[in-house]
Amino acid sequence: MALELGRAKGLSIGIIMDGNGRWAKKRGLPRTAGHTKGAEVFRDIIRYCNELELASVTFYAFSTENWSRPMEEVNGIMKLFGEYLVMAYDYQKENNRVVFLGDRSPLPEKYQEQMNDIEQKTRANTGTILNVAVNYGGRQELVHGIRILAQRVLAGELRPEEINTDTVSSVLYTAGQRDPDFILRPSGEHRLSNFMLWQASYAEFVDMDVLWPDFTRADLDRAIEEYNTRSRRFGGL
Ligand code: FPP
């Protein structure tokens, strides 16, 4: 049964797209084939998030640790990312605000220009915020933010005792956005894997036994229904 209207509207979700390699292995295909199918699913789930009127969705596309994979696989993912960047201009029509999380400095210059351009062009859009985490690590994000704060302290613009949780949130890649309500991880794994460490402090964790390339809109419905059964107390009673 389709998700009841309004059960998803306004939610913020983080998605760890996992299981591409296993999906390919099961079919005797190269790992890159799993990523290609995963990229198709990624694009369809984006469209569905728009239909559901989510406040934001964050996709973990490439972690700071993923560089250690074989060169062929890294190149395959980067090629898919390049294809996505060309398509991302369509999200202007979809009213998405696109934000890239992570350190983009090691990425090809052309990609960096496109990323900046897409962010600029979609900045005033009021639909679902679409965060794409590339060369992203939660710890690295915190280090990056702490350096910004340290520089402000050094410049005399900020006193150490003025630093609070809001100040820290404001120097993360997700500055100004609200925290995710839940983190979804398909493929049966139960780890956060350096994803949104600060932002996920009070997020629910929803794991699903489906590999990302097999993930469907109905699976997202099920994840949202699961989230809606949880009782969130934020440390209170
Ligand atoms: C994890 O699965 C997935 C990745 C490291 C890459 C995710 C990339 C995509 C879904 C497609 C590309 C999209 C963009 C925008 C770049 P895994 O390979 O670790 O799976 P396994 O645990 O089964 O080996």
Side-chain angles (χ1 to χ4, degrees):
M1 205 183 76
L3 194 70
E4 216 178 289
L5 212 67
R7 296 281 276 170
K9 189 173 173 172
L11 286 180
S12 290
I13 304 181
I15 302 181
I16 303 177
M17 302 187 282
D18 193 18
N20 296 350
R22 274 164 284 169
W23 183 90
K25 195 171 172 209
K26 266 183 20 187
R27 288 164 177 74
L29 297 169
R31 292 178 60 84
T32 44
H35 297 312
T36 303
K37 182 65 173 45
E40 275 173 37
V41 173
F42 163 73
R43 289 193 291 273
D44 187 55
I45 294 298
I46 291 173
R47 281 192 291 269
Y48 191 44
C49 290
N50 287 332
E51 287 173 26
L52 293 175
E53 297 183 42
L54 297 188
S56 71
V57 56
T58 305
F59 290 92
Y60 205 2
F62 193 82
S63 76
T64 44
E65 288 75 31
N66 286 151
W67 295 107
S68 65
R69 295 190 177 204
M71 200 172 79
E72 191 192 326
E73 184 173 347
V74 170
N75 288 344
I77 297 173
M78 284 301 151
K79 186 164 167 274
L80 288 168
F81 182 53
E83 289 166 10
Y84 161 72
L85 285 174
V86 175
M87 283 181 261
Y89 284 96
D90 286 347
Y91 301 127
Q92 174 68 346
K93 282 183 262 158
E94 305 279 350
N95 199 25
N96 284 127
R97 180 176 152 214
V98 184
V99 180
F100 295 99
L101 317 183
D103 173 14
R104 50 192 87 176
S105 63
L107 300 177
E109 229 162 76
K110 184 171 158 224
Y111 284 14
Q112 292 186 43
E113 281 164 21
Q114 286 170 315
M115 290 161 88
N116 293 338
D117 195 38
I118 291 161
E119 283 183 337
Q120 287 300 324
K121 288 203 164 89
T122 63
R123 202 155 70 170
N125 287 355
T126 53
T128 303
I129 300 176
L130 183 55
N131 294 314
V132 184
V134 177
N135 191 28
Y136 172 87
R139 287 184 166 184
Q140 289 80 353
E141 177 181 40
L142 280 164
V143 170
H144 173 258
I146 288 164
R147 285 189 182 148
I148 294 173
L149 293 180
Q151 273 156 4
R152 285 192 198 150
V153 170
L154 259 182
E157 298 162 9
L158 182 70
R159 282 183 289 127
E161 57 273 26
E162 284 172 338
I163 298 174
N164 55 31
T165 54
D166 289 338
T167 333
V168 175
S169 293
S170 76
V171 289
L172 301 183
Y173 297 119
T174 49
Q177 298 188 31
R178 71 185 193 78
D179 289 338
D181 295 298
F182 74 92
I183 303 291
L184 166 61
R185 181 161 195 163
S187 94
E189 306 285 355
H190 313 280
R191 289 183 297 276
L192 210 43
S193 297
N194 207 10
F195 184 54
M196 301 192 98
L197 295 183
W198 175 273
Q199 298 91 332
S201 292
Y202 284 100
E204 294 291 322
F205 192 81
V206 178
D207 58 295
M208 296 183 84
D209 210 359
V210 52
L211 303 174
W212 178 252
D214 288 327
F215 192 87
T216 63
R217 292 176 174 218
D219 289 318
L220 186 57
D221 288 352
R222 280 200 295 131
I224 292 167
E225 289 297 19
E226 165 65 27
Y227 165 75
N228 279 322
T229 65
R230 307 275 179 93
S231 143
R232 301 178 77 196
R233 291 189 294 276
F234 300 96
L237 291 177

